[in-house]
């Protein structure tokens, strides 16, 4: 399974020729380095919640038109997509499949944000190897302690590095793929990722310093 990053929290999982796109949001397209046509060959699309850094309805519509890929999401996002005239399928908690991907959808609680109601948010266990908790660090996720890979928020208005590393230290994944870094300039991301790597090396956890457009890891 190859996982490629397209800025902030936009990821493409690829296995056996099937490309699964997660959360092409506004931060991904903001600077023009990523365009919808770059995802013309995706086979499936998942949107985890309504926040604009994870959902960009205008560009999502273009991607769906170019690729013909079905969109899977939760009911709150579904309401937004329905108003925008974007076809989609609502996934409830439980096991779903997209090509070779087994996806266990789990309701997760978004970390609190200043004066902002919490959205409905769906996290995923992917092929029993990857925990994608999106913007959640709730204690219930510690049930997945020791998982192969954690998709980990690294910087956000709702968390600091002590909160982030504290959660990951308890979870003890074998590896970490960092996301949610679209707020920062590259020099700052590089500096903070060096600090994260130093911390997690002590824990015996591999921190993959992935931040450049299209960078990928294979698990």
């Amino acid at each position: 399974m190859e996982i490629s990053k397209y800025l902030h929290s936009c990821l493409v999982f690829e296995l056996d020729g099937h490309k699964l796109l997660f959360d092409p949001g506004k931060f991904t397209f903001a600077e023009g380095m990523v365009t919808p046509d770059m995802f013309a060959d995706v086979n499936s699309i998942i949107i985890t919640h309504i926040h604009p850094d994870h959902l960009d309805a205008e560009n999502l519509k273009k991607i769906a038109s170019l690729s013909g890929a079905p969109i899977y999401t939760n009911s709150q996002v579904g309401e937004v997509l329905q108003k925008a005239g974007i076809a989609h399928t609502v996934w409830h908690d439980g096991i779903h499949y997209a090509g070779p991907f087994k996806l266990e959808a789990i309701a997760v609680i978004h970390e609190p944000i200043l004066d902002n109601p919490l959205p409905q948010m769906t996290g995923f266990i992917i092929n029993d190897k990857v925990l994608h908790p999106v913007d959640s660090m709730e204690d219930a996720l510690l049930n997945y302690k020791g998982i192969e890979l954690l998709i980990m928020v690294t910087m956000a208005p709702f968390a600091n590095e002590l909160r982030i590393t504290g959660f990951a230290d308890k979870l003890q994944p074998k590896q970490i793929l960092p996301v949610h870094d679209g707020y920062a300039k590259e020099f700052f991301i590089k500096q903070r990722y060096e600090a994260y790597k130093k911390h997690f090396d002590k824990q015996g956890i591999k921190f993959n310093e992935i931040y450049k457009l299209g960078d990928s890891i294979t698990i």
Side-chain angles (χ1 to χ4, degrees), residues 160-179:
N160 60 36
E161 290 179 350
L162 294 178
R163 166 76 171 132
I164 292 164
T165 56
F167 169 72
D169 289 348
K170 292 177 185 176
L171 187 70
Q172 283 292 299
K174 294 180 177 64
Q175 298 186 56
I176 290 170
L177 189 150
V179 293

Side-chain angles (χ1 to χ4, degrees), residues 25-42:
K26 288 186 181 294
F27 285 19
T28 290
F29 301 105
E31 296 179 299
M33 292 185 289
V34 178
T35 57
D37 64 291
M38 293 171 68
F39 304 118
D41 62 346
V42 301

